[in-house]
Amino acid sequence: MSHNSDTIPLHASSQSDIDEIENLINSSIQSSPSTVLPARPPSPPRIPVSTSPFIQSNLPPPQPKPQPTIQKPPSIFPSAPLPPLPPSSVNSAGGNLSATGFGSPPNTLTEPVWDTVKRDLSRIVSNLKLVVFPNPYREDPGKALRDWDLWGPFFFIVFLGLTLSWSASVKKSEVFAVAFALLAAGAVILTLNVLLLGGHIIFFQSLSLLGYCLFPLDVGALVCMLKDNVIIKVIVVSVALAWSSWAAYPFMSSAVNPRRKALALYPVFLMYVSVGFLIIAID
Amino acid sequence: MLCLFSMYWVMLSLFTMVPPPGENYANPKTCFFHVLFKAGALAFYILSALFFNSFVIIFVVTVLLAALDFWVVKNVSGRILVGLRWWNEINDLGESVWKFESLDQESLARMNKKDSWLFWWTLYITAVAWIVLGIFSLIRFQADYCLIVGVCLTLSIANIVGFTKCRKDAKKQFQQFASQTIASRVSSTIQSAFSVV
């Protein structure tokens, strides 16, 4: 900052003020990178990463260039620290203004609404793929569901409740309420279980994970709704159950002490089994 | 009867709030959407008892409207009406960090007063309305309706807490920035005074 004061003339012109403010902001960003990160540019599709680049990724010093470059290993959303110079005015929902002379990056405060929607939708899809489908990078589970969101779990729980309710011939409302309450309370209790076992897991991340792992059971319930044969139902539900448990296993087991793995995993398995029974027993 | 009473109470509180005079709404479309989903969820919940017998439909539609409202307030109207945004991230160490983002102070000062009045008041009124409805369903011992109210109340309170924290953080950031500016201006003035000498 001192190098600037030599070039700033004694009289305060507005341009020098602006330069000074800009430099102040740059230096303050360098000192406090964590509280106000101005931009969270649209996250790229998930590029899985192995553990080693991760360990070295302390936040690199921010670049003065306002570009949404990916400064960390790309599996994390690019939280590149950018100068917090949002545009000076904000338009209506459809508008997208650029800054007036500060050269500020596209930050999330002024992106058009459609961008936000697309970003959230793509995050749901990528989370789903990460959790439920096999990919070689699942073994790094703590970092995999970084970008947790609760929309996916919400839709899956509601869908499962609706499917069960539809398959039921009587007491549809109770079935739905029971299914929803069971799943929601079950997810919360399972998370608390892991936390009380001394595990390291973040509450919302775990809720999000348990919700996404319901996807195979959703598929199973849908198939069971369409086919009424008991044998087929049992087979389908067993497959879905195994898939759900397989999906949830790495995340839950890595969060706790290895000796307590079974204590953490057994309730998860129990919950999925009870949901499976609910699916089979509905007529 | 209780429905009518609760509706009356909500309407009364709405009409006693007076918007600041002078300017018009700067973003009428956003304000409309901001209010639409909240009012829709409340209205559907209150009126549905008259038309629908099925709890499932009431639950799904109300919670869906409440969730949409949560998303709209958090991502769209918060940004546009008051220039604030909050979210949660998980950093490298696996800890959860709450991030806040706000426009700079000049833009914040230039925000339409009516917009921000509407934003904050509707947030508070919605939460109060859900609390009232929750009390009613508790009185009637309807556990499943308590579930709906619980979910909607959680979403409203989450938004209120998030935006209040964001606003406080923005004020703090501005104060830090202002004091830094003053300090650096003073020091640069002193330095240039000395360099002239």
Side-chain angles (χ1 to χ4, degrees), chain A residues 4-17:
Chain A
N4 268 328
S5 53
D6 299 332
T7 58
I8 292 180
L10 248 178
H11 61 283
S13 72
S14 57
Q15 187 54 41
S16 68
D17 280 354

Side-chain angles (χ1 to χ4, degrees), chain B residues 27-175:
Chain B
N27 298 298
K29 219 168 40 160
T30 315
C31 290
F32 173 69
F33 275 109
H34 177 81
V35 178
L36 173 75
F37 289 121
K38 290 198 215 324
L42 279 169
F44 188 83
Y45 178 79
I46 294 176
L47 297 175
S48 60
L50 304 172
F51 301 122
F52 288 106
N53 227 351
S54 152
F55 170 76
V56 177
I57 296 188
I58 298 178
F59 183 99
V60 171
V61 173
T62 310
V63 171
L64 193 66
L65 285 174
L68 280 176
D69 163 67
F70 177 82
W71 187 88
V72 164
V73 168
K74 181 169 182 282
N75 290 298
V76 177
S77 56
R79 274 199 276 133
I80 293 175
L81 297 182
V82 288
L84 298 171
R85 188 152 195 206
W86 60 277
W87 70 87
N88 176 281
E89 274 175 6
I90 299 183
N91 64 11
D92 295 347
L93 307 170
E95 294 156 0
S96 102
V97 173
W98 294 94
K99 294 271 167 63
F100 304 114
E101 187 182 358
S102 57
L103 292 180
D104 55 347
Q105 193 64 15
E106 307 126 32
S107 315
L108 275 182
R110 253 188 283 153
M111 287 266 130
N112 191 330
K113 290 285 182 300
K114 244 186 181 169
D115 277 356
S116 53
W117 169 86
L118 177 78
F119 178 84
W120 290 105
W121 274 111
T122 47
L123 274 184
Y124 295 139
I125 287 180
T126 317
V128 169
W130 281 117
I131 293 178
V132 169
L133 290 172
I135 294 177
F136 283 151
S137 60
L138 272 179
I139 291 178
R140 289 155 146 195
F141 294 116
Q142 284 171 335
D144 35 9
Y145 285 93
C146 280
L147 191 61
I148 302 184
V149 173
V151 170
C152 298
L153 194 59
T154 311
L155 292 173
S156 306
I157 291 187
N159 251 339
I160 291 181
V161 167
F163 276 109
T164 312
K165 278 193 166 163
C166 189
R167 190 166 58 162
K168 285 204 189 123
D169 190 81
K171 285 203 181 119
K172 199 177 62 156
Q173 290 294 319
F174 177 67
Q175 278 168 1

Side-chain angles (χ1 to χ4, degrees), chain A residues 37 39-47 54 59 68-81 119 123 127 143-148, chain B residues 87-92 95 97 99:
Chain A
L37 263 194
R40 193 158 164 257
S43 53
R46 282 216 169 264
I47 306 172
F54 222 87
L59 266 185
T69 54
I70 300 176
Q71 301 200 353
K72 287 193 277 185
S75 106
I76 311 308
F77 38 82
S79 54
R119 185 153 52 94
R123 187 168 56 175
N127 274 342
K143 283 98 179 178
L145 204 60
R146 260 325 151 77
D147 236 350
W148 59 268
Chain B
W87 70 87
N88 176 281
E89 274 175 6
I90 299 183
N91 64 11
D92 295 347
E95 294 156 0
V97 173
K99 294 271 167 63

Side-chain angles (χ1 to χ4, degrees), chain A residues 10-277:
Chain A
L10 248 178
H11 61 283
S13 72
S14 57
Q15 187 54 41
S16 68
D17 280 354
I18 292 175
D19 285 342
E20 197 173 275
I21 293 178
E22 192 171 352
N23 291 324
L24 265 178
I25 291 171
N26 281 338
S27 65
S28 77
I29 271 302
Q30 284 165 7
S31 54
S32 63
S34 65
T35 36
V36 176
L37 263 194
R40 193 158 164 257
S43 53
R46 282 216 169 264
I47 306 172
V49 77
S50 58
T51 46
S52 50
F54 222 87
I55 297 174
Q56 321 154 352
S57 68
N58 294 316
L59 266 185
Q63 301 172 356
K65 270 263 173 262
Q67 289 159 8
T69 54
I70 300 176
Q71 301 200 353
K72 287 193 277 185
S75 106
I76 311 308
F77 38 82
S79 54
L82 298 162
L85 298 176
S88 45
S89 64
V90 173
N91 245 349
S92 65
N96 183 18
L97 286 196
S98 59
T100 59
F102 283 100
S104 87
N107 70 23
T108 57
L109 269 178
T110 53
E111 62 184 6
V113 178
W114 188 233
D115 275 3
T116 315
V117 175
K118 271 196 302 197
R119 185 153 52 94
D120 282 344
L121 283 176
S122 69
R123 187 168 56 175
I124 296 179
V125 172
S126 74
N127 274 342
L128 180 65
K129 282 199 293 215
L130 210 65
V131 171
V132 176
F133 293 106
N135 65 69
Y137 301 96
R138 299 183 89 234
E139 299 315 312
D140 202 356
K143 283 98 179 178
L145 204 60
R146 260 325 151 77
D147 236 350
W148 59 268
D149 73 292
L150 288 178
W151 282 104
F154 173 68
F155 286 132
F156 292 146
I157 293 184
V158 167
F159 182 77
L160 191 56
L162 281 176
T163 317
L164 286 175
S165 166
W166 202 334
S167 324
S169 46
V170 292
K171 287 190 171 186
K172 290 180 185 270
S173 308
E174 276 95 340
V175 167
F176 181 85
V178 164
F180 186 91
L182 171 74
L183 289 167
V188 172
I189 291 177
L190 285 173
T191 311
L192 285 178
N193 181 39
V194 170
L195 285 173
L196 288 173
L197 279 175
H200 301 292
I201 203 170
I202 297 167
F203 185 73
F204 288 113
Q205 196 180 17
S206 157
L207 280 186
S208 168
L209 163 81
L210 288 169
Y212 274 111
C213 289
L214 280 177
F215 175 74
L217 283 169
D218 271 357
V219 171
L222 191 62
V223 171
C224 287
M225 190 174 77
L226 301 171
K227 298 262 183 216
D228 224 359
N229 190 338
V230 177
I231 311 262
I232 294 189
K233 272 194 190 177
V234 170
I235 297 178
V236 165
V237 166
S238 321
V239 168
L241 193 59
W243 189 3
S244 282
S245 308
W246 172 83
Y249 175 80
F251 298 92
M252 294 305 243
S253 66
S254 71
V256 288
N257 197 330
R259 287 185 313 162
R260 298 178 170 175
K261 245 201 285 197
L263 276 176
L265 287 173
Y266 175 68
V268 178
F269 186 63
L270 197 60
M271 185 175 90
Y272 289 147
V273 163
S274 59
V275 174
F277 269 128

